[in-house]
Coordinates of all heavy atoms in Angstrom, one line a residue:
T1 N 1.4 -7.9 27.1 CA 0.9 -6.9 26.3 C 1.0 -7.3 24.8 O 1.9 -8.1 24.5 CB 1.5 -5.5 26.4 OG1 2.9 -5.6 26.1 CG2 1.4 -5.0 27.8
N2 N 0.1 -6.9 24.0 CA 0.2 -7.3 22.6 C 0.2 -6.1 21.6 O -0.1 -5.0 22.0 CB -1.0 -8.2 22.2 CG -2.3 -7.4 22.1 OD1 -2.8 -6.9 23.1 ND2 -2.8 -7.3 20.9
G3 N 0.7 -6.4 20.4 CA 0.8 -5.3 19.4 C 1.2 -6.0 18.1 O 1.0 -7.2 17.9
I4 N 1.7 -5.2 17.2 CA 2.2 -5.7 15.9 C 3.6 -5.3 15.7 O 4.2 -4.5 16.4 CB 1.3 -5.2 14.8 CG1 1.5 -3.6 14.7 CG2 -0.1 -5.6 14.9 CD1 1.0 -3.0 13.4
V5 N 4.2 -6.0 14.7 CA 5.6 -5.6 14.3 C 5.4 -4.3 13.5 O 4.7 -4.3 12.4 CB 6.2 -6.6 13.4 CG1 7.5 -6.2 12.8 CG2 6.4 -7.9 14.2
S6 N 6.0 -3.2 13.9 CA 5.8 -1.9 13.3 C 6.9 -1.7 12.2 O 6.6 -1.1 11.1 CB 5.9 -0.8 14.3 OG 4.9 -0.9 15.3
R7 N 8.1 -2.1 12.5 CA 9.2 -2.0 11.5 C 10.2 -3.1 11.8 O 10.3 -3.7 12.9 CB 10.0 -0.7 11.7 CG 9.3 0.5 11.0 CD 10.3 1.6 10.8 NE 10.9 2.1 12.1 CZ 11.9 2.9 12.2 NH1 12.6 3.3 11.1 NH2 12.4 3.3 13.4
K8 N 11.1 -3.5 10.8 CA 12.1 -4.4 11.0 C 13.5 -3.8 10.7 O 13.5 -2.7 10.0 CB 11.9 -5.6 10.1 CG 10.7 -6.5 10.4 CD 10.5 -7.6 9.4 CE 11.7 -8.5 9.3 NZ 11.5 -9.6 8.4
N9 N 14.5 -4.4 11.2 CA 15.9 -4.0 10.9 C 16.1 -2.5 11.2 O 16.7 -1.7 10.5 CB 16.2 -4.2 9.4 CG 16.1 -5.7 9.0 OD1 16.5 -6.6 9.7 ND2 15.5 -5.9 7.8
V10 N 15.7 -2.2 12.4 CA 15.8 -0.8 12.9 C 17.1 -0.6 13.7 O 17.5 -1.5 14.4 CB 14.6 -0.4 13.8 CG1 14.7 1.0 14.3 CG2 13.3 -0.7 13.1
S11 N 17.7 0.6 13.5 CA 18.9 0.9 14.3 C 18.5 2.1 15.1 O 18.0 3.1 14.7 CB 20.1 1.3 13.4 OG 20.4 0.2 12.6
I12 N 18.9 2.1 16.4 CA 18.7 3.2 17.3 C 19.9 3.4 18.2 O 20.7 2.4 18.4 CB 17.5 3.1 18.2 CG1 17.6 1.9 19.2 CG2 16.2 2.9 17.4 CD1 16.6 1.8 20.3
T13 N 20.2 4.6 18.6 CA 21.3 4.9 19.4 C 20.8 5.2 20.8 O 19.9 6.0 21.0 CB 22.1 6.2 18.9 OG1 22.5 5.9 17.6 CG2 23.3 6.5 19.8
D14 N 21.4 4.4 21.8 CA 20.9 4.6 23.2 C 21.5 5.8 23.9 O 22.3 6.5 23.3 CB 21.1 3.3 24.0 CG 22.6 2.9 24.1 OD1 23.5 3.8 24.0 OD2 22.9 1.7 24.4
E15 N 21.2 5.9 25.2 CA 21.6 7.1 25.9 C 23.2 7.1 26.1 O 23.7 8.1 26.4 CB 20.9 7.2 27.3 CG 21.2 6.0 28.2 CD 20.3 4.8 28.0 OE1 19.5 4.8 27.0 OE2 20.4 3.8 28.7
T16 N 23.8 5.9 25.9 CA 25.3 5.9 26.1 C 26.0 6.2 24.8 O 27.2 6.3 24.8 CB 25.7 4.5 26.6 OG1 25.5 3.5 25.5 CG2 25.0 4.1 27.8
G17 N 25.2 6.4 23.7 CA 25.8 6.7 22.4 C 26.1 5.4 21.6 O 26.6 5.5 20.5
L18 N 25.7 4.3 22.1 CA 26.0 3.0 21.4 C 24.8 2.7 20.5 O 23.6 2.8 20.9 CB 26.1 1.9 22.4 CG 26.5 0.5 21.8 CD1 27.8 0.5 21.1 CD2 26.4 -0.6 22.9
T19 N 25.1 2.4 19.2 CA 24.0 2.1 18.3 C 23.7 0.6 18.3 O 24.7 -0.2 18.2 CB 24.4 2.6 16.9 OG1 24.6 4.0 16.9 CG2 23.3 2.2 15.8
R20 N 22.5 0.3 18.3 CA 22.1 -1.1 18.3 C 21.4 -1.4 16.9 O 20.6 -0.6 16.5 CB 21.1 -1.5 19.4 CG 21.7 -1.1 20.8 CD 21.2 -1.9 21.9 NE 21.7 -1.5 23.2 CZ 22.9 -1.9 23.7 NH1 23.6 -2.7 23.0 NH2 23.4 -1.5 24.8
Y21 N 21.7 -2.5 16.3 CA 21.2 -2.8 15.0 C 20.3 -4.0 14.9 O 20.2 -4.8 15.9 CB 22.5 -3.1 14.1 CG 23.5 -2.0 14.1 CD1 24.6 -2.0 15.0 CD2 23.4 -1.0 13.1 CE1 25.5 -1.0 14.9 CE2 24.3 0.0 13.1 CZ 25.4 0.0 14.0 OH 26.3 1.1 14.0
N22 N 19.6 -4.1 13.8 CA 18.7 -5.2 13.5 C 17.6 -5.4 14.6 O 17.3 -6.5 15.0 CB 19.4 -6.5 13.4 CG 20.3 -6.5 12.1 OD1 19.9 -5.9 11.1 ND2 21.5 -7.2 12.2
L23 N 17.1 -4.3 15.1 CA 16.0 -4.3 16.1 C 14.6 -4.5 15.5 O 14.4 -4.1 14.3 CB 16.0 -3.1 17.0 CG 17.3 -2.8 17.8 CD1 17.2 -1.5 18.5 CD2 17.7 -3.9 18.7
I24 N 13.7 -5.0 16.2 CA 12.3 -5.1 15.8 C 11.6 -4.0 16.6 O 11.7 -3.9 17.8 CB 11.7 -6.5 16.2 CG1 12.5 -7.6 15.5 CG2 10.2 -6.5 15.8 CD1 12.2 -9.0 16.1
Q25 N 10.9 -3.2 15.8 CA 10.0 -2.1 16.5 C 8.6 -2.7 16.6 O 8.1 -3.2 15.7 CB 10.0 -0.9 15.6 CG 9.2 0.3 16.3 CD 9.2 1.5 15.4 OE1 10.1 1.9 14.8 NE2 8.0 2.2 15.4
T26 N 8.0 -2.5 17.8 CA 6.7 -2.9 18.0 C 5.9 -1.9 18.8 O 6.5 -1.0 19.5 CB 6.6 -4.2 18.8 OG1 5.3 -4.6 19.1 CG2 7.4 -4.1 20.1
N27 N 4.6 -1.9 18.6 CA 3.7 -1.0 19.4 C 3.1 -1.7 20.6 O 2.3 -1.1 21.3 CB 2.6 -0.4 18.5 CG 1.6 -1.4 18.1 OD1 1.9 -2.6 18.1 ND2 0.4 -1.0 17.6
A28 N 3.6 -2.9 20.9 CA 3.2 -3.5 22.2 C 3.8 -2.7 23.3 O 4.9 -2.3 23.2 CB 3.7 -5.0 22.2
A29 N 3.0 -2.5 24.3 CA 3.4 -1.6 25.4 C 4.6 -2.2 26.1 O 4.6 -3.4 26.6 CB 2.3 -1.5 26.4
I30 N 5.7 -1.4 26.2 CA 6.9 -1.8 26.9 C 7.1 -0.8 28.1 O 7.0 0.4 27.9 CB 8.1 -1.7 25.9 CG1 7.9 -2.5 24.7 CG2 9.4 -2.1 26.6 CD1 7.8 -4.0 24.9
N31 N 7.3 -1.4 29.3 CA 7.5 -0.6 30.5 C 8.8 -1.0 31.2 O 9.3 -2.1 31.0 CB 6.3 -0.8 31.4 CG 5.0 -0.1 30.8 OD1 4.9 1.1 30.7 ND2 4.1 -1.0 30.3
P32 N 9.3 -0.2 32.1 CA 10.4 -0.6 32.9 C 10.1 -1.9 33.6 O 9.0 -2.1 34.1 CB 10.5 0.6 34.0 CG 9.9 1.8 33.3 CD 8.8 1.2 32.4
G33 N 11.1 -2.8 33.6 CA 10.9 -4.1 34.1 C 10.7 -5.2 33.0 O 11.0 -6.4 33.2
N34 N 10.3 -4.7 31.8 CA 10.1 -5.6 30.7 C 11.4 -6.0 30.1 O 11.5 -7.0 29.4 CB 9.3 -5.0 29.6 CG 7.8 -5.2 29.8 OD1 7.0 -4.2 30.0 ND2 7.3 -6.4 29.6
S35 N 12.5 -5.2 30.3 CA 13.8 -5.5 29.7 C 14.2 -6.9 29.9 O 14.2 -7.4 31.1 CB 14.8 -4.5 30.2 OG 14.6 -3.2 29.7
G36 N 14.6 -7.6 28.9 CA 15.1 -8.9 29.0 C 14.1 -10.0 28.7 O 14.4 -11.2 28.5
G37 N 12.8 -9.6 28.7 CA 11.7 -10.5 28.5 C 11.6 -10.9 27.0 O 12.1 -10.2 26.2
P38 N 10.8 -11.9 26.7 CA 10.6 -12.3 25.3 C 9.6 -11.5 24.6 O 8.5 -11.1 25.1 CB 10.2 -13.8 25.4 CG 9.4 -13.8 26.7 CD 10.1 -12.8 27.6
L39 N 9.8 -11.3 23.3 CA 8.8 -10.9 22.4 C 8.5 -12.1 21.5 O 9.4 -12.6 20.9 CB 9.3 -9.7 21.5 CG 8.3 -9.1 20.6 CD1 7.2 -8.3 21.4 CD2 9.0 -8.2 19.5
V40 N 7.3 -12.5 21.5 CA 6.9 -13.8 20.9 C 5.9 -13.6 19.7 O 5.1 -12.7 19.7 CB 6.4 -14.8 21.9 CG1 7.4 -15.1 23.0 CG2 5.1 -14.4 22.5
N41 N 6.0 -14.6 18.8 CA 5.0 -14.6 17.7 C 3.8 -15.4 18.1 O 3.7 -15.9 19.2 CB 5.7 -15.1 16.4 CG 6.2 -16.5 16.5 OD1 5.8 -17.3 17.5 ND2 7.1 -16.9 15.7
M42 N 2.9 -15.5 17.2 CA 1.6 -16.2 17.5 C 1.7 -17.7 17.6 O 0.8 -18.4 18.0 CB 0.5 -15.8 16.5 CG 0.2 -14.3 16.5 SD 0.0 -13.6 18.2 CE -1.5 -14.5 18.7
A43 N 2.9 -18.2 17.3 CA 3.2 -19.6 17.6 C 3.8 -19.8 19.0 O 4.1 -21.0 19.3 CB 4.1 -20.2 16.5
G44 N 4.0 -18.8 19.7 CA 4.6 -18.9 21.0 C 6.1 -19.0 21.0 O 6.7 -19.5 21.9
E45 N 6.7 -18.6 19.9 CA 8.2 -18.7 19.7 C 8.8 -17.3 20.0 O 8.2 -16.3 19.5 CB 8.5 -19.1 18.3 CG 7.9 -20.5 17.9 CD 8.1 -20.7 16.4 OE1 8.1 -19.7 15.6 OE2 8.2 -21.9 16.0
V46 N 9.9 -17.3 20.7 CA 10.6 -16.0 20.9 C 11.3 -15.6 19.6 O 12.0 -16.3 18.9 CB 11.7 -16.2 22.0 CG1 12.5 -14.9 22.1 CG2 11.2 -16.7 23.3

């Protein structure tokens, strides 16, 4: 799936209460099973 970088350096708190930092927010469609896969730029770099 494709999209754009929506925000950078985002912090969110997950369902366990743990906050994750320096995340990239994207509007590329993310679904169950995508976890652990790469988000790549247009040079094909992770």
Side-chain angles (χ1 to χ4, degrees):
T1 59
N2 73 293
I4 63 167
V5 174
S6 303
R7 281 197 300 164
K8 294 175 60 179
N9 302 318
V10 180
S11 298
I12 63 170
T13 301
D14 64 19
E15 63 276 5
T16 69
L18 183 65
T19 299
R20 307 203 182 277
Y21 302 92
N22 294 326
L23 299 179
I24 300 165
Q25 181 182 324
T26 178
N27 66 342
I30 305 297
N31 291 289
N34 272 111
S35 290
L39 186 71
V40 301
N41 60 20
M42 297 313 296
E45 301 168 331
V46 177

